[in-house]
Amino acid sequence: MADHLDDLSNQLGYYRLLESSEKARWIFREQPWDAIDTSKVTPALIEDVKIAAYAELTTFSATAAFMQLLHDDVDFTQWLSVWFYEETKHPLALIRWLGRLGVPIAQEFIHRGRRITPMTHSPVEMLTSNICSEIAANTAYNQFAKTVEEPVLVQIVKDLARDEMRHSVGFEFYCRQTIERSDDPERDRLVALRTAWFLLQPASDGVTQHPVFMTLLKMQCLDIAEVERRYREHIVTRIAKMLELDIPGPDAFYDVYTGLKKRYRAARHPIHAT
């Protein structure tokens, strides 16, 4: 970390984020597991829940990658323990719901879901990617909840959606802080902008997306076009706010990025009149 922390009790963002989590946290044992309405469950719904559970399993590997990449950031790694705890409840809640219906989930399913491709070595890129993935999951879950009729699953999905949005706020806090402490903040603003722009591209274009988002898009019940529209709008709003930029909408994102890139290069390599 670039800044020295003299007083942890006053300087860690962890405390504020932890307090927010504790106020909003749902309790596993309080879910009405015995009240599942099987008449509202279809084979397609079961398959969609399996897909959602699988998408959630990447948290384990992502946490290990974050711990390696930002091991010296006391504040972030402390908050990461909160994120890891809350996120690992997500697949297990969905798996518990499936289990109550007699749908078995093997350990191999969990092991496969935990595997992810190697991540970037850029803290800003990884933090920005997670902002986007949390917003994507929130958007997908909110849309999923509108299609589900089984009441226990509706409550679970709504709880997960709220967690995802709150977690996106945490990653945004630490991404902004990392940029501010960078030895080249303008360079890292560009990194964040480029990462978000890349993840904004429609899945139909064949561009590689965040693995969580790509997995969730396999859910049969989702209106993919609507999910992508809402997701892209949310990303633009949040990234524009974080980077203090005016980005009118998704279609303007690339122009803003190229404009900022030109200004950055001009500032680093000015042309002097002879």
Side-chain angles (χ1 to χ4, degrees):
M1 295 176 64
D3 292 352
H4 178 66
L5 296 174
D6 297 311
D7 181 1
L8 293 182
S9 66
N10 291 326
Q11 292 179 269
L12 293 187
Y14 163 78
Y15 291 113
R16 176 177 59 79
L17 294 168
L18 174 64
E19 183 177 337
S20 174
S21 291
E22 290 183 336
K23 287 179 180 178
R25 187 171 293 158
W26 54 276
I27 308 301
F28 207 97
R29 69 174 183 276
E30 293 179 356
Q31 298 291 339
W33 301 108
D34 295 327
I36 295 174
D37 185 349
T38 57
S39 70
K40 304 295 185 182
V41 178
T42 65
L45 180 62
I46 288 173
E47 290 306 308
D48 278 349
V49 172
K50 286 182 181 179
I51 290 170
Y54 191 83
E56 290 281 6
L57 289 167
T58 59
T59 300
F60 182 86
S61 300
T63 300
F66 268 124
M67 280 293 187
Q68 281 191 315
L69 189 61
L70 291 160
H71 62 90
D72 59 345
D73 188 329
V74 173
D75 194 353
F76 173 73
T77 51
Q78 188 66 38
W79 176 77
L80 194 65
S81 68
V82 176
W83 178 72
F84 180 63
Y85 164 69
E86 293 185 345
E87 283 285 346
T88 49
K89 288 167 63 180
H90 292 188
L92 272 297
L94 297 170
I95 289 171
R96 167 66 67 84
W97 183 86
L98 290 167
R100 289 303 176 100
L101 293 169
V103 179
I105 297 295
Q107 286 193 50
E108 176 55 24
F109 177 89
I110 295 177
H111 287 308
R112 282 190 288 109
R114 286 181 170 186
R115 298 179 194 137
I116 56 175
T117 55
M119 293 191 173
T120 175
H121 295 294
S122 164
V124 169
E125 186 175 346
M126 194 161 170
L127 290 165
T128 303
S129 179
N130 264 57
I131 295 169
C132 295
S133 70
E134 300 285 353
I135 293 174
N138 168 269
T139 305
Y141 282 138
N142 282 334
Q143 293 301 109
F144 188 31
K146 294 177 182 179
T147 70
V148 173
E149 296 183 4
E150 200 293 299
V152 176
L153 182 59
V154 170
Q155 184 57 53
I156 292 171
V157 170
K158 287 182 177 179
D159 286 338
L160 304 194
R162 284 190 289 269
D163 280 356
E164 306 289 6
M165 186 53 69
R166 191 174 68 256
H167 295 161
S168 76
V169 173
F171 281 111
E172 182 182 329
F173 172 83
Y174 289 109
C175 189
R176 183 186 297 110
Q177 182 171 271
T178 300
I179 292 172
E180 290 173 352
R181 294 174 175 176
S182 170
D183 58 357
D184 190 347
E186 286 305 304
R187 176 201 63 206
D188 280 332
R189 287 177 84 218
L190 271 172
V191 170
L193 202 58
R194 182 187 64 222
T195 303
W197 170 77
F198 183 76
L199 294 173
L200 275 178
Q201 304 312 301
S204 58
D205 288 353
V207 178
T208 302
Q209 295 284 341
H210 193 285
V212 172
F213 192 34
M214 291 304 295
T215 303
L216 289 173
L217 288 179
K218 297 176 183 177
M219 296 168 70
Q220 301 175 50
C221 68
L222 292 180
D223 180 341
I224 302 304
E226 180 65 10
V227 170
E228 286 196 328
R229 183 186 69 80
R230 291 177 178 269
Y231 160 72
R232 297 177 84 227
E233 289 178 350
H234 290 166
I235 294 299
V236 169
T237 300
R238 292 287 295 280
I239 297 300
K241 179 182 177 183
M242 181 180 77
L243 300 178
E244 299 179 341
L245 293 170
D246 180 17
I247 308 177
D251 293 338
F253 209 94
Y254 184 70
D255 288 340
V256 173
Y257 167 69
T258 55
L260 190 67
K261 187 176 181 179
K262 287 179 181 178
R263 290 194 295 274
Y264 174 75
R265 287 180 171 176
R268 289 180 62 86
H269 304 289
I271 300 175
H272 298 288
T274 57

